[in-house]
Amino acid sequence: AHCQDVGREFDSIRKTYTFTPYLARTKAEAVRWAGPALDREFPPFAGTPAELREHIHELAELGFDLFQLVFPGFPETHDMELFADKVLPAFT
């Protein structure tokens, strides 16, 4: 409705979604790592690579086409490497 009010095509807007993925090889490990962050009003993602692939696909179906991920393990890279190895190939 806002786009219509201001005369802009909705499809011309790049829909971006930013989130923190607590990514681990098992759901239990991801949930344990995320800990109290899961109790926030807007909780982060916590799960496995397969679950993250599904989550991103669901968001893409809603119209999001750019994802900005904030990896909580930084400066360690284990979560980024897991993403690069097990999630990213599904989208390239």
Side-chain angles (χ1 to χ4, degrees):
H2 176 71
C3 288
Q4 188 174 13
D5 291 346
V6 298
R8 183 163 183 189
E9 290 293 322
F10 179 75
D11 291 337
S12 73
I13 298 171
R14 185 136 204 210
K15 289 99 178 155
T16 303
Y17 193 88
T18 302
F19 66 101
T20 300
Y22 286 85
L23 185 62
R25 296 196 182 278
T26 68
K27 176 77 170 189
E29 183 183 349
V31 168
R32 192 169 39 254
W33 183 22
L38 294 175
D39 296 328
R40 295 180 187 153
E41 182 179 359
F42 300 104
F45 170 88
T48 66
E51 292 169 325
L52 183 53
R53 287 191 305 266
E54 182 177 327
H55 183 63
I56 293 172
H57 278 298
E58 290 170 356
L59 292 168
E61 287 177 9
L62 292 174
F64 293 98
D65 63 354
L66 178 65
F67 299 91
Q68 297 176 329
L69 282 65
V70 180
F71 288 94
F74 187 79
E76 298 296 324
T77 61
H78 63 280
D79 52 350
M80 287 182 266
E81 291 173 19
L82 189 57
F83 178 83
D85 291 343
K86 302 293 183 182
V87 179
L88 192 57
F91 300 97
T92 57

